[in-house]
Amino acid sequence: MNEDTAGNRELHGSAVVLRPTVEGDIPTLDRIVREPAVAAWWSVPDDYDDMLAILLDGQVIGAIQFSEETDPEFRHASIDIFITTSHHGRGLGTDAVRTLARWLIHERGHHRLTIDPAVANAAAIHSYRKVGFKPVGIMRAYGRDYRTGGWADGLLMDLLADELT
């Protein structure tokens, strides 16, 4: 994670804490990303260095990452996230996305954020809508469908700074 990111800071949400990943997180994150309900939407990353660990009560339950477009004409940031299956449906992903979005807007100065779940990932889309993300359009054959090995459509969603809920 470069110095312009969250660095060694912790970002506190309502229930979760986001912090840079450390070497000790890797076995847990590797196990989580291989859970069938997570692996349906994620491949195993080469490394977790550019991710923030998502903690609940001090335990790693997933990871969230972001990237930034720094060209002043197109400046924005994008977010991606995964959480262990046992914590799905509890609002923790929403809390993590909202926490990172708040930091990207208020600390990093982004006016627009994007997120791009698979069209078939209804739970993720519902979660992102609760943060304030709105559908922009369908990106056809956008990413690998890890369930079938083929291509899946993605839903481009964005959030303007004044829409953050």
Side-chain angles (χ1 to χ4, degrees):
M1 181 162 296
N2 69 45
E3 291 304 314
D4 290 338
T5 61
N8 291 322
R9 294 177 34 186
E10 290 184 347
L11 306 177
H12 292 264
S14 297
V16 301
V17 173
L18 311 180
R19 63 143 171 84
T21 56
V22 295
E23 189 172 328
D25 298 335
I26 294 171
T28 301
L29 294 173
D30 272 342
R31 178 186 49 75
I32 292 169
V33 83
R34 286 177 168 81
E35 294 173 2
V38 177
W41 314 112
W42 270 81
S43 63
V44 177
D46 292 332
D47 64 62
Y48 298 94
D49 292 343
D50 290 331
M51 294 187 184
L52 300 171
I54 302 169
L55 286 79
L56 178 67
D57 299 326
Q59 299 298 310
V60 173
I61 63 164
I64 191 166
Q65 65 184 6
F66 66 94
S67 62
E68 298 180 284
E69 171 57 62
T70 57
D71 181 328
E73 292 187 43
F74 302 98
R75 184 167 165 72
H76 74 281
S78 60
I79 298 174
D80 213 347
I81 181 174
F82 65 86
I83 289 185
T84 186
T85 309
S86 64
H87 287 79
H88 286 184
R90 297 175 48 190
L92 300 170
T94 301
D95 187 25
V97 170
R98 184 179 288 118
T99 300
L100 183 56
R102 189 175 296 121
W103 181 78
L104 288 167
I105 290 168
H106 297 297
E107 300 294 323
R108 299 291 298 153
H110 290 285
H111 75 285
R112 180 174 168 270
L113 307 177
T114 63
I115 202 159
D116 56 0
V119 169
N121 194 344
I125 293 166
H126 177 72
S127 174
Y128 306 151
R129 282 181 185 268
K130 290 194 294 186
V131 176
F133 282 88
K134 295 182 170 126
V136 174
I138 302 294
M139 300 177 291
R140 299 178 306 141
Y142 175 66
R144 282 288 176 199
D145 185 331
Y146 298 107
R147 299 164 300 164
T148 67
W151 293 98
D153 292 346
L155 176 63
L156 177 61
M157 302 177 80
D158 72 3
L159 168 79
L160 300 180
D162 62 355
E163 297 170 338
L164 180 63
T165 60

